[in-house]
Amino acid sequence: MALSFCGNDDHFNSYNVTNGVLNNGCFVDALNLVPHVFLLFITFPILFIGWGSQSSKVQIHHNTWLHFPGHNLRWILTFSLLFVHVCEFAEGIVSNKMMQTNHLHLFMPAFMGFIAATTSVVYYHNIETSNFPKLLLVLFIYWVLAFVTKSIKLWKFAAYSVGPQHLRFCITALLVMLYGLLMAVEINVIRVRKYVFFANPQKVKPPEDLQDLGVRFLQPFVNLLSKATYWWMNPLIMGAHKRPIELKKIGKLPIAMRALTNYLRLKDAYEDQRTAEDPDRSPSIWRSMYRAFGRPILLSSTFRYLADLLGFAGPLCISGIVKYLDPQNSVQTTDKSKERYFGVYFMSSTELLQNTSVLAVLLFLALVLQRTFLQASYYVTIETGINLRGALLAMIYNKMLRLSTSNMSMGEMTLGQINNLVAIETNQLMWFLFLCPNLWAMPVQIVMGVILLYYLLGPSALVGASVIVLLAPVQYLIATKLADTQKSSLEHSTDRLKKTSEILKGIKLLKLYAWENIFCDSVEETRGKELTSLKTFAFFTSMSIFMNAAIPIAAVLATFVMHHFLNEKGPTPSEAFAALALFHILVTPLFLLSTVVRFAVKALVSVQKLGEFLQSDEIGDDSWRNGDMSVSFEAGKKPMGMTKAINRKQPMRYQMDNYEQPTRRQMRPTETEDVAVKVSNGFFTWGSNLSTLSNINIRIPSGQLTMIVGQVGCGKSSLLLAMLGEMQTIEGRVYWTVCVCSHVFLFFHSLCFTFIQIFSVYNVLGMCCVSHVCCNVCFCRHEARFKQRMLELTDTNNTAYLFLSAANRWLEVRTDYLGAVIVLTAAGASIWSLEYGLPSGGLVGLGLTYALTVTNYLNWVVRNLADLEVQMAAVKKVNSFLTTESENYEGSMDTSQVPENWPQNGEIKIQDLCVRYDPMLKPVLKHVNAYIEPGQKVGICGRTGSGKSSLSLAFFNMVDIFEGKIVIDGIDICKLPLQTLRSRLSIILQDPVLFSGSIRFNLDPERTCTDDRLWEALEIAQLKNMVKALPGGLDAVVTEGGENFSVGQRQLFCLARAFVRKSSILIMDEATASIDMATENILQKVVMTAFADRTVVTIAHRVHTILTADLVIVMKRGNILEYDKPETLLEQEDGMFASFVKADM
């Protein structure tokens, strides 16, 4: 047919204007071209000039990305406009086929409108990035012209009785509405920015985040199209393809995503639940999470609903394509003249949807929109989950700094439990938030699927739905079993991690006592239980996957059988393949059901644990240091508006510190005169009803040295912790008047007590996790710096997590779009090939049904390949660890060659001994020679770094003996198997190490000793009466790290442990450093008595303890400087040993 803008039909003159030009349909359509031509004519030179001027310049930095008012609304309206133009173009093409000749005016304005709408959004983006709003006046004129011309067209349709029953009328009405809304958006920009018609235009700076060049995560700031497709990630993805991404390249997070911001938001929601009438009320974490993060969850749920609804367009379009490809069902228009107005054909809405090509295009658009909304839902939930996790981590860290020591010492809370809160429970809640929209999306999917199945197949579809309903309890049962098994696995995993942690902390002691196998067996036993749970978990997981696949198949079979029984024939191809596609859609909610239930159960448990932790006893705020023990509820509340008032020019640590700590009151003049600390009528407890410290009344003078003395277990450490607020106060007050760090408190079981025995730092998932009460942090007022470091590490981890999520969405959007193109290609090829009679309608339906699943397969193939590469990094780390050189446990001598009672005498010969800790390091012992007779008591002293402890480790072959040898009772220890050597010697270390379990286990983990022998060892160590008083006696509980005993008591248990073994050689490596002098003197006498016929080598902490030794060795810089009897060495007044004794007197 010849091309003509207005057509050239025989029975109608398209160019007749006798009734007025506006009554000519072709003229009205031509009039609608004017706004589009105007926009293209004006904007193309501007865009060309703009791009040309930028081509030779540096790319505009993202700090110029300003969003004009109504930014998101404009993009949504423009996308809607593009979709309506596509519908208008399709309607024009189909209507044109009904005409005798080609009428370009039926589809040409729609095509030009699509081009103009695309140009408008490109033009707007460039104007926005260059922040030059005056050029938006062109768009305002365009929207006005388009609105006027479309309104004229709609008016003429109404005048000629064209109504909503005609598709072209509906499309025109939608275009009038969209142009009007876009015109209103431009008016709003003029009103706010005042770039025209106003004397003083508004000056707007870029967002504060974008003024910081370190912020590289731009998802919140880019335009809507870039947000939907993650286009802003392209440079990072391309760069990552060439070289690995470095941490510094991903930059910092925007303020709204930082842990501090989200912490303040969650903290406010948590604390606001407490009222003045009921300040002790336990706030709900669920309610806090909803108040702080409910809005993005609702947004994500909206996206998910839209995606799920659009997902049903696929089966319906397949049904229509297969149905109308059949010639028997093709549309037959008998009288085309009935629907003619303005000399052209007007079709109904249903008639357009009976065109297979139109259905193929709609199928493509529906897939693109469905996957876009789905990925947007995923991103929002993941971002919200990460923000929640950051906020919870900040709450846990802040709580740690306020946690009362009594919770740890009384066993109410262990290090493993706190580690689990950080590493497991916060992740459980994060993952629950990821899956949260499924809770309400799954019922909608199932209900809509059943309704559409009923629409296609009638009552027989209810049979398939009944199968799903009947098998749902089985799924729920499996999900419950999965949750129980997962809980059991987590318990065993926690126990295993706890034991592993204890092994790592006490690894030196374990190796010296040759207890590695005992503790390894314990870990392997726990691991065996964990593996049993994991195997059960894998079994139920397999059952769940099988049921997820079997239920749709069973439902399809039942449905088709019932349909054949009721209708005496099977479903048509269009019905069958549409039903099959719908059942495929139902697989997803059924598959996720067990997962969502499992994570919901985990989330409930995690919230319970977090609630208990957040409600545990605290040391209170700073006011207790000034004597105000009771603090009002209002003192700790954040002032109104504090969350948004974040000063970025000030270090973040000060903001969090100021937020958490109320203003200190001024000290009274009398308090600053001569008293640093004052305790009045103090009664303190570790959590029980009984007072640990009673009737304490002390005054610590300012500027003076105060000494606190007493026997082991008398309460010296408790007194200091009570003054620090770490104990629960039953009665009394503590007053502080000057900074604690200006004073030194000495416990006279040693000259110094570092609080480093008190706190440990663990690195969990790249974040600094404090697992114990940080007494020294609070003690020296470093809370702010500590919080700042934790927040920085949390933000760093969250930044990587968010970029990973954005990269996943970038990939999945592109594979989804590729899948949609594949479906469109398959549909187009099927429609085209049917014209030549190649495939049947059934084969077309089969191909399209499985083409819909290509998208999912593409995603999973790429994701699994990427995940495999990532997970192989763990294999690499394990392999690297396995290739690390380990100790040679075998030795050159066989165990059978070593006498059972070796060493019997305890003779030690040290011959030209050279020792180093690593082949790359310098020697720490250089050509040392010494001889220790059997049963001799030897004292070794020297300054720090002289090599005393290195020599003690050399006896156990714990260091590299690269020259010389140590011969014990005639056997070179380097030739012995390490297990044999270390099991025949005993050592007491300076740092006391106890393991969780019982007293019996800590004394005799090998379980080879009788109770009498254990009681004898406890009696020698002065612990018998104390242990007898404990519930269970030898089976009394020892908490993790022995926190329920004082430091001195722990050291005495270590002494008893050495006595239990009764080796002929005992090494004491500054073993009395943590006990008082009186007890030390008693123990020295006990050692001399109990080991009278044994060899004892003592590394001296205080030289007066070795004055009665048979031999003294003085070391300096890895060499023996003095070697003789103590009385002989004392005669040398200028000798080093003599100087040590004088200094120690």
Side-chain angles (χ1 to χ4, degrees):
M1 292 187 293
L3 294 176
S4 173
F5 184 78
C6 293
N8 194 19
D9 293 353
D10 295 335
H11 60 278
F12 185 78
N13 185 5
S14 301
Y15 299 95
N16 182 11
V17 292
T18 55
N19 296 328
V21 292
L22 293 181
N23 291 316
N24 184 289
C26 183
F27 178 83
V28 174
D29 288 334
L31 187 64
N32 277 267
L33 280 172
V34 174
H36 310 322
V37 175
F38 162 79
L39 181 68
L40 296 176
F41 181 78
I42 297 295
T43 57
F44 263 79
I46 296 176
L47 291 174
F48 177 77
I49 294 172
W51 286 336
S53 63
Q54 290 296 329
S55 62
S56 59
K57 297 181 181 179
V58 179
Q59 184 179 1
I60 298 176
H61 192 266
H62 59 255
N63 61 7
T64 60
W65 286 358
L66 292 174
H67 289 177
F68 293 148
H71 170 90
N72 289 336
L73 179 60
R74 180 194 297 269
W75 278 89
I76 293 172
L77 292 175
T78 305
F79 284 139
S80 303
L81 183 65
L82 290 171
F83 176 74
V84 175
H85 276 311
V86 170
C87 295
E88 184 184 23
F89 181 78
E91 189 271 345
I93 291 291
V94 175
S95 297
N96 183 63
K97 290 182 178 180
M98 302 293 182
M99 306 300 296
Q100 183 180 0
T101 61
N102 282 323
H103 289 247
L104 295 182
H105 70 96
L106 292 177
F107 55 86
M108 179 67 76
F111 176 76
M112 294 299 294
F114 184 88
I115 299 298
T118 304
T119 304
S120 72
V121 78
V122 174
Y123 179 79
Y124 168 76
H125 174 69
N126 282 271
I127 297 303
E128 193 176 48
T129 55
S130 61
N131 192 21
F132 198 66
K134 289 185 177 180
L135 292 178
L136 288 179
L137 192 61
V138 175
L139 289 182
F140 175 67
I141 296 173
Y142 170 65
W143 302 131
V144 171
L145 290 176
F147 175 77
V148 171
T149 55
K150 284 297 178 185
S151 297
I152 292 174
K153 186 175 183 179
L154 185 65
W155 165 51
K156 284 301 173 182
F157 281 170
Y160 279 81
S161 301
V162 177
Q165 70 273 19
H166 300 104
L167 181 59
R168 198 175 305 165
F169 178 89
C170 299
I171 290 175
T172 304
L174 285 174
L175 288 173
V176 170
M177 182 177 66
L178 289 173
Y179 284 132
L181 291 173
L182 285 166
M183 184 173 60
V185 169
E186 292 297 352
I187 294 174
N188 184 56
V189 176
I190 296 173
R191 182 185 66 84
V192 176
R193 295 297 300 269
K194 303 178 181 178
Y195 63 87
V196 291
F197 310 129
F198 292 94
N200 299 315
Q202 184 187 25
K203 294 182 179 180
V204 180
K205 293 183 179 181
E208 190 174 3
D209 285 300
L210 296 181
Q211 297 180 37
D212 186 347
L213 299 182
V215 175
R216 309 271 174 83
F217 191 81
L218 305 177
Q219 180 73 4
F221 312 108
V222 296
N223 61 57
L224 200 62
L225 180 62
S226 185
K227 282 183 180 179
T229 61
Y230 306 91
W231 194 263
W232 64 272
M233 285 283 292
N234 286 355
L236 185 71
I237 299 294
M238 300 305 176
H241 179 68
K242 298 177 181 178
R243 65 184 66 86
I245 298 176
E246 298 177 0
L247 189 62
K248 62 181 180 181
K249 287 191 175 181
I250 63 177
K252 298 184 292 187
L253 283 178
I255 294 176
M257 295 182 177
R258 293 176 188 171
L260 174 60
T261 306
N262 291 296
Y263 164 75
L264 297 177
R265 184 182 300 138
L266 184 63
K267 184 74 172 178
D268 289 346
Y270 186 80
E271 295 294 342
D272 286 347
Q273 296 179 53
R274 291 193 174 106
T275 59
E277 295 78 15
D278 188 10
D280 296 330
R281 175 188 177 187
S282 299
S284 168
I285 295 181
W286 288 114
R287 189 176 291 111
S288 304
M289 290 165 53
Y290 174 75
R291 291 181 179 178
F293 303 102
R295 183 175 296 179
I297 290 298
L298 292 177
L299 177 62
S300 172
S301 301
T302 302
F303 288 151
R304 182 59 187 270
Y305 280 131
L306 292 173
D308 290 343
L309 292 176
L310 286 168
F312 292 109
L316 295 178
C317 288
I318 290 176
S319 175
I321 290 173
V322 175
K323 179 179 180 180
Y324 296 115
L325 280 176
D326 188 348
Q328 297 179 358
N329 297 323
S330 60
V331 182
Q332 301 292 332
T333 306
T334 56
D335 189 2
K336 298 179 182 178
S337 62
K338 289 184 178 179
E339 298 297 331
R340 284 179 177 270
Y341 303 91
F342 302 101
V344 294
Y345 180 72
F346 278 70
M347 65 169 53
S348 64
S349 302
T350 56
E351 191 175 347
L352 180 69
L353 295 178
Q354 292 172 353
N355 184 285
T356 54
S357 299
V358 171
L359 288 174
V361 173
L362 288 179
L363 174 61
F364 169 75
L365 294 177
L367 283 175
V368 169
L369 288 175
Q370 188 255 344
R371 305 306 293 190
T372 301
F373 282 128
L374 186 63
Q375 297 302 331
S377 175
Y378 288 160
Y379 171 77
V380 174
T381 53
I382 291 174
E383 178 190 303
T384 308
I386 292 172
N387 290 338
L388 171 65
R389 175 171 165 266
L392 289 173
L393 287 174
M395 287 187 74
I396 293 172
Y397 291 149
N398 188 65
K399 182 70 176 184
M400 286 178 186
L401 295 177
R402 298 170 173 267
L403 200 62
S404 173
T405 307
S406 62
N407 291 284
M408 307 296 293
S409 61
M410 299 306 293
E412 297 176 7
M413 194 165 297
T414 65
L415 307 184
Q417 288 174 333
I418 297 179
N419 277 335
N420 284 343
L421 287 176
V422 173
I424 297 178
E425 311 305 341
T426 54
N427 282 327
Q428 297 285 14
L429 286 174
M430 179 179 69
W431 278 100
F432 172 73
L433 216 60
F434 291 172
L435 298 172
C436 195
N438 291 290
L439 286 175
W440 36 84
M442 288 188 300
V444 173
Q445 273 187 301
I446 293 173
V447 171
M448 284 294 299
V450 171
I451 291 175
L452 290 177
L453 283 170
Y454 184 84
Y455 167 76
L456 289 172
L457 302 176
S460 59
L462 299 179
V463 176
S466 301
V467 171
I468 295 176
V469 172
L470 290 175
L471 293 179
V474 178
Q475 279 287 76
Y476 180 77
L477 178 62
I478 294 175
T480 304
K481 292 292 184 181
L482 275 172
D484 294 339
T485 309
Q486 179 75 359
K487 185 178 179 181
S488 176
S489 299
L490 285 176
E491 290 175 354
H492 293 311
S493 175
T494 302
D495 190 24
R496 176 176 57 82
L497 289 174
K498 176 184 173 183
K499 290 181 178 180
T500 304
S501 176
E502 286 192 322
I503 287 177
L504 293 176
K505 287 190 291 185
I507 189 64
K508 182 178 179 181
L509 178 72
L510 296 184
K511 295 177 77 67
L512 289 171
Y513 271 77
W515 286 345
E516 303 102 310
N517 293 336
I518 298 173
F519 282 79
C520 282
D521 290 343
S522 176
V523 172
E524 289 178 1
E525 179 186 357
T526 306
R527 177 60 176 168
K529 296 177 181 177
E530 183 183 4
L531 286 175
T532 302
S533 296
L534 289 174
K535 289 177 182 177
T536 307
F537 179 79
F539 170 75
F540 284 116
T541 301
S542 302
M543 288 291 297
S544 178
I545 295 173
F546 170 76
M547 292 298 295
N548 289 332
I551 289 176
I553 295 174
V556 168
L557 290 175
T559 300
F560 287 176
V561 169
M562 183 57 65
H563 186 277
H564 188 276
F565 178 77
L566 294 177
N567 300 292
E568 297 183 355
K569 64 177 182 177
T572 64
S574 63
E575 294 172 342
F577 289 110
L580 186 61
L582 286 171
F583 278 117
H584 273 297
I585 291 177
L586 291 179
V587 168
T588 301
L590 291 173
F591 179 78
L592 288 176
L593 177 62
S594 59
T595 304
V596 173
V597 171
R598 188 167 70 251
F599 273 94
V601 173
K602 290 181 185 178
L604 290 171
V605 175
S606 298
V607 166
Q608 181 182 356
K609 291 180 180 179
L610 279 170
E612 293 172 357
F613 175 75
L614 294 176
Q615 290 299 313
S616 57
D617 295 331
E618 298 182 359
I619 60 175
D621 53 45
D622 282 346
S623 59
W624 60 267
R625 292 191 177 184
N626 295 331
D628 298 336
M629 295 299 292
S630 58
V631 183
S632 67
F633 169 69
E634 296 295 330
K637 288 192 67 176
K638 181 188 73 64
M640 293 299 293
M642 183 72 171
T643 302
K644 294 185 179 179
I646 299 176
N647 184 1
R648 296 178 66 256
K649 296 181 180 180
Q650 192 179 38
M652 194 177 296
R653 59 177 176 268
Y654 299 118
Q655 300 169 30
M656 187 169 182
D657 191 45
N658 293 337
Y659 177 87
E660 290 298 334
Q661 298 179 2
T663 305
R664 288 175 157 188
R665 68 167 179 81
Q666 295 295 321
M667 294 181 290
R668 305 185 187 105
T670 56
E671 294 175 351
T672 60
E673 292 175 357
D674 59 349
V675 177
V677 185
K678 178 182 176 183
V679 182
S680 301
N681 194 31
F683 289 80
F684 306 95
T685 180
W686 283 118
S688 62
N689 294 326
L690 299 177
S691 296
T692 304
L693 300 175
S694 303
N695 197 22
I696 303 298
N697 291 278
I698 59 173
R699 294 164 60 89
I700 307 297
S702 300
Q704 299 183 26
L705 178 64
T706 299
M707 299 181 181
I708 304 176
V709 298
Q711 294 183 349
V712 174
C714 66
K716 302 183 298 298
S717 301
S718 299
L719 177 58
L720 178 62
L721 293 174
M723 290 189 290
L724 287 172
E726 290 287 341
M727 293 184 69
Q728 296 180 15
T729 304
I730 300 176
E731 186 179 341
R733 286 193 172 188
V734 179
Y735 296 89
W736 288 74
T737 57
V738 294
C739 181
V740 180
C741 295
S742 64
H743 293 274
V744 179
F745 297 87
L746 296 182
F747 293 66
F748 242 74
H749 53 249
S750 65
L751 291 176
C752 62
F753 177 36
T754 63
F755 290 93
I756 307 298
Q757 294 166 354
I758 296 182
F759 98 112
S760 307
V761 178
Y762 289 84
N763 194 335
V764 179
L765 298 176
M767 295 171 294
C768 184
C769 166
V770 175
S771 302
H772 203 306
V773 181
C774 305
C775 291
N776 57 342
V777 172
C778 302
F779 187 72
C780 295
R781 307 295 299 129
H782 290 312
E783 297 101 320
R785 187 175 67 182
F786 189 69
K787 293 174 185 175
Q788 167 69 4
R789 183 57 179 158
M790 291 188 295
L791 290 171
E792 288 175 354
L793 291 171
T794 302
D795 283 339
T796 301
N797 182 263
N798 287 352
T799 304
Y801 221 135
L802 284 166
F803 269 102
L804 176 62
S805 172
N808 284 332
R809 304 285 77 74
W810 181 94
L811 173 65
E812 293 192 7
V813 162
R814 279 146 185 81
T815 54
D816 288 342
Y817 292 171
L818 178 60
V821 171
I822 292 174
V823 172
L824 178 63
T825 303
S830 301
I831 295 170
W832 174 79
S833 60
L834 266 181
E835 295 181 2
Y836 298 92
L838 295 181
S840 64
L843 290 178
V844 172
L846 181 66
L848 292 179
T849 299
Y850 284 98
L852 285 177
T853 63
V854 168
T855 300
N856 294 328
Y857 291 135
L858 280 174
N859 279 334
W860 280 109
V861 166
V862 179
R863 284 286 300 276
N864 286 337
L865 287 175
D867 287 343
L868 176 63
E869 184 177 356
V870 172
Q871 297 302 329
M872 288 304 292
V875 177
K876 183 179 178 181
K877 291 179 181 178
V878 172
N879 185 58
S880 175
F881 180 75
L882 292 176
T883 56
T884 302
E885 185 179 357
S886 59
E887 291 184 299
N888 182 14
Y889 274 78
E890 299 301 323
S892 59
M893 289 183 64
D894 189 76
T895 307
S896 60
Q897 297 177 280
V898 184
E900 291 185 3
N901 58 352
W902 181 92
Q904 184 176 11
N905 301 320
E907 179 191 46
I908 303 175
K909 295 179 182 178
I910 304 174
Q911 301 173 356
D912 201 30
L913 182 67
C914 294
V915 165
R916 61 192 174 190
Y917 284 94
D918 187 86
M920 304 299 294
L921 300 177
K922 294 180 179 180
V924 292
L925 294 180
K926 309 164 190 175
H927 304 287
V928 174
N929 291 275
Y931 175 70
I932 300 174
E933 298 178 0
Q936 203 170 28
K937 308 300 180 288
V938 180
I940 302 177
C941 63
R943 300 186 187 278
T944 301
S946 62
K948 307 185 300 297
S949 296
S950 299
L951 181 58
S952 68
L953 294 176
F955 291 135
F956 294 84
N957 202 3
M958 286 278 288
V959 288
D960 181 16
I961 301 177
F962 66 95
E963 190 175 334
K965 59 184 178 180
I966 298 177
V967 180
I968 297 178
D969 280 3
I971 298 178
D972 185 354
I973 64 170
C974 291
K975 297 180 180 180
L976 290 171
L978 291 182
Q979 181 75 17
T980 303
L981 169 65
R982 294 170 184 174
S983 64
R984 305 291 179 89
L985 306 179
S986 295
I987 187 171
I988 305 173
L989 297 175
Q990 177 182 358
D991 298 324
V993 178
L994 294 183
F995 303 96
S996 58
S998 64
I999 293 176
R1000 183 192 303 276
F1001 174 78
N1002 276 276
L1003 296 180
D1004 179 32
E1006 297 169 299
R1007 295 170 183 155
T1008 59
C1009 299
T1010 63
D1011 286 5
D1012 293 339
R1013 187 170 175 182
L1014 297 180
W1015 284 116
E1016 178 188 1
L1018 290 173
E1019 186 174 12
I1020 291 173
Q1022 313 291 308
L1023 291 171
K1024 182 176 181 180
N1025 294 334
M1026 187 270 290
V1027 173
K1028 275 192 172 183
L1030 294 176
L1034 289 173
D1035 296 317
V1037 175
V1038 178
T1039 60
E1040 190 173 355
E1043 291 289 339
N1044 54 336
F1045 297 104
S1046 68
V1047 178
Q1049 288 171 333
R1050 285 178 239 165
Q1051 188 63 280
L1052 293 178
F1053 276 115
C1054 295
L1055 289 170
R1057 179 191 291 153
F1059 293 144
V1060 168
R1061 179 167 281 193
K1062 286 192 175 179
S1063 304
S1064 61
I1065 296 177
L1066 172 65
I1067 311 296
M1068 299 180 66
D1069 187 1
E1070 299 185 338
T1072 59
S1074 298
I1075 57 178
D1076 59 87
M1077 294 179 64
T1079 308
E1080 180 184 23
N1081 292 331
I1082 295 173
L1083 286 177
Q1084 290 294 338
K1085 294 178 182 179
V1086 170
V1087 169
M1088 296 303 175
T1089 303
F1091 287 81
D1093 57 341
R1094 312 286 174 128
T1095 301
V1096 179
V1097 178
T1098 302
I1099 309 298
H1101 174 69
R1102 291 186 286 268
V1103 293
H1104 76 271
T1105 60
I1106 58 174
L1107 290 176
T1108 58
D1110 301 320
L1111 176 67
V1112 170
I1113 299 175
V1114 181
M1115 302 192 68
K1116 183 179 182 181
R1117 296 178 182 174
N1119 295 293
I1120 294 180
L1121 188 64
E1122 298 176 3
Y1123 178 90
D1124 212 327
K1125 295 181 180 180
E1127 54 268 22
T1128 303
L1129 293 178
L1130 286 174
E1131 293 175 358
Q1132 303 173 11
E1133 296 183 359
D1134 58 344
M1136 183 171 287
F1137 181 71
S1139 65
F1140 285 163
V1141 174
K1142 291 177 182 178
D1144 197 35
M1145 297 300 292

